[in-house]
Amino acid sequence: MCGIIGIASSKKDRTLTDVLVSSLARLEYRGYDSVGVASLDEGGIDVRKAKGKVVEVVKRKKINEMTGYLFLGHTRWATHGAPNDQNAHPHIDCTGKIAVVHNGTLTNYKELREELESLGHKFRSDTDTEVIPHLVEEFVKRGMDSFSAFKAAVSSLKGSYAILMIMEGERRIFFARLDNPLVIGLGEDNKNFVASEYAPFLPFTSTVVTIQDGEVGFVTPSSVYIEKDGKVVDVNDRIHKLNFSVISASKGGYSHFMLKEIHESPLAVKETISTMLSDEAVVEASRIISNANRVFVVAAGTSYHAALFFTRYLNLSSLTAIPVIASEYSSYKAKSGDVVLALSQSGETLDVKMAIKKFRNDGASIISITNVIESTISRESDVKLYMRAGPELGVAATKTFVSQVASLMILKSRVLNEDTSYLAKAPQILEDAVEETEGKMKRWSTLIDFPSVYYLSKGIGVPLAMEGALKIKEVAYVHAEAYPAGESKHGPIALVSEGFPVIFVNPGLDELKVNMEEMKSRGAKIFSISTVNTNLTDNEVIVKSERDLEPFALSPPLQLLAFYVSVNKGIDPDRPRNLAKTVTVE
């Protein structure tokens, strides 16, 4: 996820850069690896960009001194290519007369790049985005007008995108959208905006025009043109007024980033699946794991719960996979022929870094899955994989958890030579689970009024129960413990008294009914999040799933329950006490 902004003005006003810089600052939460700006005036296109925060790059590159009629801005969250100056957006063509900013992931960029290079195009970066200006350049060479060349380039792309483009000699900003957000702001004084979201331009206008998937068009200082499949869209039907603040707009209208990111999970998982299935590094990683003597899967917190899925699948297939809590790495010894799979959403978790250093010294090979391009852990790995879920602002991992599970399921299926087509349904299962359970979890949150709670499950549901318990501890400060349901009889059941809440996470297992009856007979208040109907409690939510996709159905209600319990208690779930997004201390 990156942030993009375009401004089209009839006046070459120096205050436009102030507008642009403030807009970029409001977009920075969408990406904070690097920043870039392109301006267009009579002298042509001026591009200034660099790795760093908005305030740093604006000062270093003197962006406030830029002038023009058209401006593009970009805040980057790296998905292809390291976060550095040359990979920062905007990207230009060979002539420097076309500039592009892009949010999304192009799955066929390697083939397009090879074709363009064979035609003589010279590339300056390692990004997928750079193929776009070169494609437009190529189509213009073949005699197309600028808009036709832009549409031809867009039709050549596979993947997801929100694209803005400016071209020398044009007083308009071209745009295209597929699976990534883009909205137009209609300003005063012949000034229009187009951006990833409302927040960057909301201080200047609250009149907006929505852009839908598959649409292309352009904005000028005084007009908007949109078409889809060659048919012109009536822009007047799309105009409406917003009635929320800049702060709420940056959260997409949601009250908290945690809730926003739960709702972003389907798109995050879709991006993870589409990019990892086309990543050659996944093939190499699966080959190494298939030939390993043992696989140590090293992780902490939420990542460790995701690791338990992977090790379970491999162990059921007679491969030796050992889950390792990263801080306990000194209790294990690897040797030559072993493989370490390191999991860290930030790529900077200190315990994981210490573990892979030790295991490398023991002779093991290192594979990593992170969400941050060229993080420390990825740089120290023999094979680096990226889940590309986009930045996550809430401290509690939500969309990154399900993206991590998706990454591991792809890797597992590659190792075991399984068909991966079943994963195509994961984003829709996630979306349905969020939409169909949110209201019920909001109601349940008022019923969780006991100082402690148990989360019980069996089999594949146990890691989910552990994750559910962790979430409600993290953001709602409720003491919660997760157990395999059968283990609850060996001690934990002694704490159960009248009204004690017990949440069953049921991935379709009939044998959990016995455990539910046991808890119910002791006076427990039973809650069930299940893929099947048990008819044993009034507090039951049924989520739709398919075989092997249960984590995507069961995760959203667990996350939503923790969120709403937190909010009901007056706690900020985005910034829970004593916790940080990245743990960089022992």
Side-chain angles (χ1 to χ4, degrees):
M1 186 169 71
C2 301
I4 62 178
I5 175 74
I7 305 173
S9 175
S10 61
K11 301 175 183 178
K12 193 168 68 172
D13 191 336
R14 289 293 291 268
T15 62
L16 282 176
T17 54
D18 294 333
V19 174
L20 179 71
V21 169
S22 65
S23 298
L24 287 170
R26 284 186 289 276
L27 281 171
E28 190 164 26
Y29 84 93
R30 294 180 63 92
Y32 33 82
D33 293 331
S34 57
V35 181
V37 172
S39 65
L40 175 62
D41 61 14
E42 299 87 351
I45 291 177
D46 180 13
V47 174
R48 305 185 189 188
K49 59 182 184 176
K51 178 182 177 181
K53 307 291 186 185
V54 170
V55 65
E56 300 165 351
V57 176
V58 166
K59 183 177 180 180
R60 190 161 74 246
K61 293 296 181 176
K62 299 180 178 179
I63 287 174
N64 284 110
E65 298 178 8
M66 298 174 73
T67 61
Y69 297 98
L70 304 180
F71 282 88
L72 299 182
H74 189 275
T75 61
R76 182 174 188 240
W77 176 266
T79 57
H80 289 87
N84 56 34
D85 290 1
Q86 65 263 32
N87 288 334
H89 296 214
H91 291 288
I92 58 175
D93 68 323
C94 295
T95 68
K97 296 181 179 180
I98 301 169
V100 168
V101 293
H102 164 229
N103 172 34
T105 306
L106 305 180
T107 56
N108 65 332
Y109 81 98
K110 291 181 180 178
E111 304 96 286
L112 292 173
R113 178 167 177 155
E114 290 172 1
E115 180 181 352
L116 288 162
E117 286 177 329
S118 72
L119 294 171
H121 290 263
K122 304 297 182 184
F123 283 74
R124 303 172 177 87
S125 77
D126 301 317
T127 69
D128 54 344
T129 302
E130 196 182 353
V131 299
I132 301 171
H134 289 283
L135 281 169
V136 176
E137 177 192 8
E138 184 62 31
F139 287 124
V140 169
K141 282 181 183 177
R142 298 177 188 180
M144 291 187 184
D145 64 80
S146 55
F147 189 38
S148 297
F150 177 71
K151 290 190 289 183
V154 170
S155 67
S156 303
L157 305 176
K158 296 179 181 179
S160 63
Y161 51 77
I163 301 167
L164 301 181
M165 184 188 83
I166 57 176
M167 182 183 295
E168 195 171 301
E170 297 278 355
R171 289 286 184 95
R172 49 186 176 170
I173 299 174
F174 301 94
F175 62 79
R177 171 192 170 168
L178 183 66
D179 290 336
N180 277 278
L182 206 56
V183 64
I184 294 166
L186 302 179
E188 299 176 352
D189 300 323
N190 284 327
K191 187 188 294 134
N192 285 331
F193 304 83
V194 57
S196 299
E197 58 185 55
Y198 309 127
F201 59 68
L202 198 53
F204 313 106
T205 180
S206 59
T207 305
V208 303
V209 176
T210 57
I211 304 170
Q212 298 177 1
D213 270 354
E215 294 182 340
V216 297
F218 53 83
V219 297
T220 73
S222 58
S223 65
V224 175
Y225 176 84
I226 302 175
E227 69 174 52
K228 184 172 184 177
D229 300 327
K231 296 180 180 179
V232 179
V233 173
D234 188 346
V235 173
N236 292 321
D237 292 340
R238 301 277 186 87
I239 298 174
H240 64 279
K241 283 273 191 180
L242 301 176
N243 60 359
F244 46 73
S245 68
V246 174
I247 293 175
S248 64
S250 67
K251 296 175 182 175
Y254 295 101
S255 60
H256 297 83
F257 281 112
M258 182 178 176
L259 184 60
K260 178 176 183 285
E261 287 155 0
I262 292 170
H263 280 263
E264 287 176 346
S265 295
L267 179 58
V269 167
K270 185 176 182 179
E271 287 287 321
T272 296
I273 292 170
S274 64
T275 53
M276 286 201 72
L277 286 177
S278 61
D279 190 347
E280 295 173 1
V282 175
V283 177
E284 175 65 8
S286 62
R287 183 192 65 79
I288 293 172
I289 291 172
S290 298
N291 294 322
N293 292 328
R294 297 176 297 175
V295 181
F296 293 92
V297 187
V298 181
T302 287
S303 296
Y304 178 74
H305 300 154
L308 294 175
F309 288 108
F310 186 75
T311 55
R312 182 177 187 275
Y313 284 126
L314 262 60
N315 286 326
L316 286 172
S317 299
S318 300
L319 298 175
T320 302
I322 304 166
V324 177
I325 295 175
S327 58
E328 293 295 308
Y329 67 87
S330 61
S331 298
Y332 301 83
K333 184 170 180 61
K335 58 185 177 182
S336 179
D338 290 337
V339 172
V340 170
L341 177 60
L343 307 180
S344 170
Q345 292 148 8
S346 68
E348 302 295 341
T349 308
L350 183 60
D351 290 332
V352 178
K353 289 193 285 188
M354 299 289 287
I356 62 177
K357 182 177 180 180
K358 175 192 181 296
F359 287 132
R360 182 183 292 284
N361 289 338
D362 289 342
S365 300
I366 310 296
I367 299 169
S368 65
I369 300 178
T370 69
N371 194 38
V372 180
I373 302 293
E374 290 301 302
S375 60
T376 301
I377 289 171
S378 63
R379 289 198 304 271
E380 294 178 359
S381 303
D382 299 306
V383 180
K384 56 191 80 171
L385 306 177
Y386 300 111
M387 52 184 174
R388 298 182 173 93
E392 191 171 59
L393 273 291
V395 167
T398 53
K399 68 176 182 179
T400 53
F401 172 67
V402 287
S403 285
Q404 201 165 52
V405 171
S407 302
L408 290 166
M409 292 179 81
I410 289 169
L411 187 57
K412 176 267 298 187
S413 292
R414 292 295 196 212
V415 170
L416 303 180
N417 294 313
E418 296 174 343
D419 182 8
T420 58
S421 60
Y422 72 100
L423 286 165
K425 296 180 180 179
Q428 188 60 55
I429 287 174
L430 264 171
E431 186 172 334
D432 291 344
V434 172
E435 291 180 357
E436 294 171 10
T437 67
E438 183 167 7
K440 294 173 183 176
M441 293 303 101
K442 195 172 184 178
R443 289 192 293 274
W444 279 17
S445 67
T446 64
L447 304 177
I448 308 294
D449 54 3
F450 217 76
S452 296
V453 59
Y454 283 158
Y455 285 71
L456 303 182
S457 190
K458 286 180 179 286
I460 197 174
V462 173
L464 289 169
M466 296 170 70
E467 179 61 12
L470 175 62
K471 282 293 160 286
I472 206 166
K473 280 186 280 194
E474 285 180 317
V475 303
Y477 313 154
V478 174
H479 175 249
E481 298 297 337
Y483 296 96
E487 188 67 10
S488 65
K489 298 190 292 290
H490 299 274
I493 201 168
L495 294 182
V496 175
S497 58
E498 192 67 31
F500 189 105
V502 179
I503 299 171
F504 282 85
V505 182
N506 186 358
L509 303 174
D510 284 339
E511 54 264 40
L512 274 173
K513 292 181 180 180
V514 174
N515 304 108
M516 293 176 72
E517 291 282 17
E518 288 173 343
M519 288 294 174
K520 193 174 181 179
S521 68
R522 270 75 176 179
K525 184 187 293 184
I526 304 298
F527 298 83
S528 175
I529 301 172
S530 178
T531 60
V532 296
N533 194 340
T534 64
N535 293 313
L536 291 177
T537 175
D538 293 333
N539 300 313
E540 184 164 55
V541 166
I542 310 300
V543 288
K544 294 180 293 187
S545 184
E546 296 197 9
R547 189 173 180 273
D548 294 331
L549 296 179
E550 291 90 352
F552 303 107
L554 296 168
S555 293
L558 293 168
Q559 295 169 353
L560 288 164
L561 179 60
F563 170 81
Y564 281 111
V565 172
S566 173
V567 170
N568 284 344
K569 296 178 70 174
I571 298 166
D572 181 358
D574 289 341
R575 297 290 179 267
R577 68 188 179 208
N578 303 330
L579 297 178
K581 188 65 181 172
T582 304
V583 180
T584 56
V585 294
E586 288 187 271

